[in-house]
Amino acid sequence: MAENHAIDRYRRWYRELLRFYSKPHRERFAESMEQTFHDVCRERANDGHGLLGFVLWMFVETAAGILRENGGVGLAQFLRIVSPVAFFAVAIAAWVQMQNAIAVNIAAGLDNQLRQLFFQPPLPTRPDMAEVWLWTSGACFLCGVIAAWRLLRTSQRKRLA
Amino acid sequence: MANNQVHANGPLTPAVFHILLALSTQERHGYGIMKQVESDAQGKVKMGPGTLYGSLGRMIDAGLIRESAKKIDTKMDDERRVYYKITAVGQKALAAELRRYSEVVAIAAQLRLRPTS
């Protein structure tokens, strides 16, 4: 039951993604593509396989198809779109890592002052790598989505021009 | 239109070849083609809707396949689906591609080349 809701939600998102296709292609194939997407998701769910990774692959595959059908974007345009987004992702990752390291060191520093009073061994002052990875991958994913959206919009505009 | 057009007389792309092979025995809808391609390639080729429908569009334009009427697949649900059917041009293109493949295999055999595992 929960899977059906998830599949319906993914289908709605997929319908939104298909809007980036040119109008003739959309009129010709959008309904069939949506049906096929739904069929594949249902088959995966019935087989007891996870959906999220597979759905992500389908979205990326279809986004690549949209870029191909719309004639893609030039290298200069690609770099102009992707470079600031990549820079932003690296900046967020670095900022999170720095914040984490500072926060951990301050917390451990204060704690260690107290621990010294009671002759306890000091705490390690390494940042929590799991948290760093979580934030870094989250930032990269978000920036990837923004870059993909901008690439699709640019290719769509190029197609319409 | 994308610049990777399908030429009925020239070598076919792997996607177009697999789709023609899937349609060679019977007409199928999009999901049916995906399943058949996966089965023919023993799971080594996975085709998403982006590649599939992009190829189908170009193949229709090249006259290799055509759309047949919308039908309900009784094995699935009550949604009406577009079926695709291979044309005579498509059958010729598939035969020519298979001939090219067998010629390549024959040359490899003459050179005593064996596929390595």
Side-chain angles (χ1 to χ4, degrees):
Chain A
M1 193 63 168
E3 278 164 350
N4 285 342
H5 284 303
I7 291 172
D8 287 343
R9 191 173 58 239
Y10 293 143
R11 185 174 180 164
R12 277 199 304 276
W13 293 351
Y14 193 70
R15 192 181 301 148
E16 291 302 314
L17 178 65
L18 295 179
R19 290 162 65 95
F20 287 105
Y21 269 113
S22 63
K23 200 176 173 200
H25 193 280
R26 218 166 46 231
E27 285 172 349
R28 208 170 170 192
F29 294 120
E31 193 189 340
S32 298
M33 288 182 81
E34 207 185 304
Q35 276 176 341
T36 304
F37 173 81
H38 186 250
D39 292 337
V40 178
C41 286
R42 201 168 44 189
E43 185 208 19
R44 292 272 308 180
N46 289 343
D47 289 350
H49 292 122
L51 270 179
L52 188 64
F54 187 71
V55 165
L56 272 177
W57 174 75
M58 296 270 273
F59 272 67
V60 170
E61 199 268 349
T62 302
I66 292 169
L67 285 175
R68 218 166 31 234
E69 291 302 315
N70 289 349
V73 290
L75 181 66
Q77 252 178 334
F78 178 82
L79 290 175
R80 206 166 46 237
I81 291 168
V82 170
S83 303
V85 178
F87 175 77
F88 191 55
V90 170
I92 289 177
W95 184 78
V96 167
Q97 190 142 3
M98 197 179 71
Q99 289 292 312
N100 194 299
I102 290 169
V104 166
N105 277 304
I106 289 171
L110 290 173
D111 205 19
N112 283 340
Q113 298 285 327
L114 289 171
R115 292 172 77 87
Q116 272 182 352
L117 290 175
F118 297 100
F119 305 103
Q120 296 289 313
L123 285 172
T125 53
R126 284 175 51 224
D128 180 357
M129 288 315 288
E131 196 179 331
V132 170
W133 271 112
L134 185 75
W135 278 94
T136 307
S137 51
C140 290
F141 176 75
L142 190 68
C143 291
V145 169
I146 292 169
W149 186 80
R150 290 188 62 193
L151 278 171
L152 291 170
R153 287 287 295 169
T154 308
S155 78
Q156 194 187 31
R157 283 202 199 104
K158 190 182 155 191
R159 171 91 193 190
L160 291 173
Chain B
M1 176 59 67
N3 50 12
N4 44 347
Q5 289 172 351
V6 176
H7 299 285
N9 302 322
L12 305 174
T13 64
V16 170
F17 173 71
H18 279 290
I19 293 170
L20 283 180
L21 201 61
L23 293 175
S24 61
T25 49
Q26 65 177 90
E27 60 177 32
R28 295 177 199 276
H29 49 69
Y31 177 65
I33 295 171
M34 273 171 89
K35 295 298 300 169
Q36 191 58 39
V37 167
E38 207 177 319
S39 157
D40 289 343
Q42 295 168 339
K44 286 175 191 144
V45 175
K46 273 195 191 294
M47 205 181 279
T51 307
L52 176 68
Y53 284 92
S55 301
L56 287 177
R58 286 188 286 278
M59 289 166 77
I60 292 170
D61 294 341
L64 297 175
I65 57 169
R66 65 178 171 83
E67 286 180 16
S68 65
K70 272 188 169 186
K71 283 187 283 191
I72 293 171
D73 186 342
T74 48
K75 285 181 216 153
M76 299 185 71
D77 50 29
D78 53 0
E79 276 192 87
R80 286 158 60 81
R81 286 151 211 278
V82 178
Y83 278 68
Y84 300 93
K85 197 174 185 177
I86 193 166
T87 61
V89 178
Q91 275 167 343
K92 271 187 199 164
L94 179 62
E97 190 71 2
L98 289 171
R99 202 162 42 245
R100 262 193 293 275
Y101 277 24
S102 54
E103 282 165 8
V104 170
V105 171
I107 291 167
Q110 279 174 9
L111 297 172
R112 297 177 189 283
L113 294 173
R114 297 255 182 277
T116 52
S117 57

